[in-house]
Every structure is written in C-alpha cells, then in structure tokens.
Amino acid sequence: MGMNHLILALVSLSCLFSFSTSTSTPPSYSYHYSFSHSSSSAPSAAFNNVPFSKSSGTPMDQTFNKLPTLPTNNVDPGLQQICKDTDHPVECVSNIVPFLGHRKFVAEPVSVLKLEIQAMDNKVKEAIDKATKLMQDHSTQEMTASCLETCLDSYKSILDSDKRVLDALSLHDVYQVSMELSSNIENVQTCEDAFQEANIKSPNIQMDSAIRKMISNTLAIGVNKVHF
C-alpha cells in the first residue's frame, strides 16, 4: 500500500511539472507569421512577374488595336508597319489616309514621310491662320499676342525646315533630313516655352499638340526608316 501511494505521488508530480513547463513557455508565432506573410505576398510577386502576352492587352497592343482599318485595295499594308514604330501610330496613319483617296498607294518610308510632312504643313498653316486672327483681335490680351507672335515665327520656321527636308530627300541627303526634322522640335518648343514663361494658356494648345506629334512621327520615320 505504501509503495502504491509513492508511485501515485511521483506520477502526479511528473504531470504537474509537465503542465507547468508547457504553460510557462510563451508560444512562438514566428513560424505562423512567416508562413502567413509569405503566403500573402507570394501570389502578388508571382502576378507581377508573369509575362504578358500580346493577347493580354498590353498598352502597345491597345495602341495597335486603335489603328484605323485601311482598305487593302488602296493602301499598302506596309503603312501600318511603318507607322507602328512611331510614338503616335494612330495619328501617323490617320494623317496620311486623307491624301490617299482612291489611288493605289505603295507604302515605303520616303513616300510616307513626304505625306506626313504635307499633313504637318497643313496643320501648321491652320495654326498660323488662327494665331494671326487672334493677334488682330482687339480683345486678345497684349501678353497673349506677344506669345502668339513668337509662335508665328516658330510656325514659319517649321515650314521652311520642311521645304529643306523635301529638298534633302530628293538629294538622298539623310544627314540633312535628320537635322531639319530635329530643328522642328526646337521650333515648336520655342512656341510652347513662350506661353509657359508668361504663365498663360495658349489658345493654340490643341494645334500645337498635334504639330508636336507630327514632328515626332516625321523624325522617327526620317531617322529610323529612310535609308538610301
């Protein structure tokens, strides 16, 4: 009987010690936290690293999808191929289409560049007409008129540069072509800077934006596509 009491006492003491040890040691959450953190961030990282295919709708694919559908019997498919390598492919195509009419057009860099220049010259002439009318309007503020005068000089410089580009193309002078097209960037920038420095909004801002896109496209075609 004494031996039984002794064994029971030892067992009770052992259980008490085990319970005390398990309750006195604070539980560790580091493993569970790490698991939770990694599991929540892993999908995000995996998503960010998934390469997007062309069918997934990347910005460039969306741009291509906006390109006008051209009649294949009138326009060489190479037109879209040339325009897609510009910064503004939609405008590149839409600027040329009005000049095509029903005639057969075989797209190659020089012919596309010439039509882009023609479209740009037309837009610049529109800007000149509008600026001239605004300057002659007595309700136009003096500072605005002064900025418009600066823009008129820039517009005329663009027309002059474009003439020299066409001359250089006839002479197969690629260097002169790139130099004149590059100067157009400075010309339109001079106009924009005049209004920015005066801290006023240009009444020709939409035309200037269209002209800038045309300059960008002609430069891209003239420098990267035209080779003699």
Side-chain angles (χ1 to χ4, degrees):
M1 178 65 90
M3 181 61 70
N4 291 337
H5 281 294
L6 179 60
I7 292 174
L8 180 60
L10 289 175
V11 172
S12 299
L13 182 61
S14 175
C15 291
L16 180 62
F17 177 76
S18 298
F19 176 79
S20 175
T21 301
S22 62
T23 55
S24 63
T25 302
S28 174
Y29 295 98
S30 59
Y31 173 78
H32 297 287
Y33 174 79
S34 298
F35 177 81
S36 174
H37 178 72
S38 61
S39 62
S40 63
S41 62
S44 176
F47 177 82
N48 291 334
N49 291 328
V50 171
F52 290 97
S53 64
K54 291 184 178 180
S55 62
S56 62
T58 62
M60 184 58 72
D61 289 324
Q62 291 174 1
T63 300
F64 292 164
N65 291 334
K66 293 179 182 178
L67 286 173
T69 301
L70 303 177
T72 56
N73 60 326
N74 290 333
V75 181
D76 189 285
L79 175 60
Q80 289 193 17
Q81 183 65 31
I82 293 173
C83 283
K84 80 179 183 64
D85 292 331
T86 66
D87 290 334
H88 310 282
V90 176
E91 290 81 357
C92 176
V93 174
S94 61
N95 289 338
I96 291 178
V97 171
F99 295 102
L100 301 181
H102 299 287
R103 66 187 176 92
K104 181 72 175 179
F105 176 73
V106 179
E108 50 84 24
V110 173
S111 61
V112 171
L113 177 58
K114 287 181 178 180
L115 289 179
E116 286 289 341
I117 289 175
Q118 187 175 348
M120 179 167 61
D121 284 355
N122 289 347
K123 182 62 66 175
V124 170
K125 290 174 182 177
E126 287 182 29
I128 289 176
D129 289 341
K130 183 177 179 180
T132 301
K133 291 177 181 179
L134 287 171
M135 290 177 63
Q136 294 173 347
D137 189 340
H138 296 294
S139 64
T140 302
Q141 296 182 355
E142 183 178 353
M143 183 60 71
T144 300
S146 177
C147 293
L148 287 171
E149 185 174 3
T150 299
C151 288
L152 277 178
D153 292 337
S154 297
Y155 296 149
K156 293 175 182 178
S157 295
I158 291 174
L159 294 178
D160 291 339
S161 292
D162 287 348
K163 289 179 182 178
R164 290 191 289 269
V165 169
L166 296 177
D167 291 339
L169 286 173
S170 64
L171 297 174
H172 293 185
D173 189 343
V174 178
Y175 175 77
Q176 188 66 25
V177 168
S178 63
M179 289 293 293
E180 295 297 341
L181 292 176
S182 297
S183 69
N184 281 339
I185 297 178
E186 298 178 7
N187 291 328
V188 72
Q189 188 65 50
T190 299
C191 173
E192 294 173 351
D193 288 346
F195 283 98
Q196 290 179 359
E197 291 172 4
N199 197 26
I200 55 178
K201 184 178 180 179
S202 169
N204 260 8
I205 189 169
Q206 291 184 345
M207 285 189 179
D208 291 340
S209 175
I211 292 170
R212 175 176 280 277
K213 290 179 180 179
M214 291 175 171
I215 291 173
S216 172
N217 286 347
T218 56
L219 184 60
I221 297 171
V223 172
N224 299 325
K225 297 293 185 179
V226 174
H227 305 288
F228 297 112

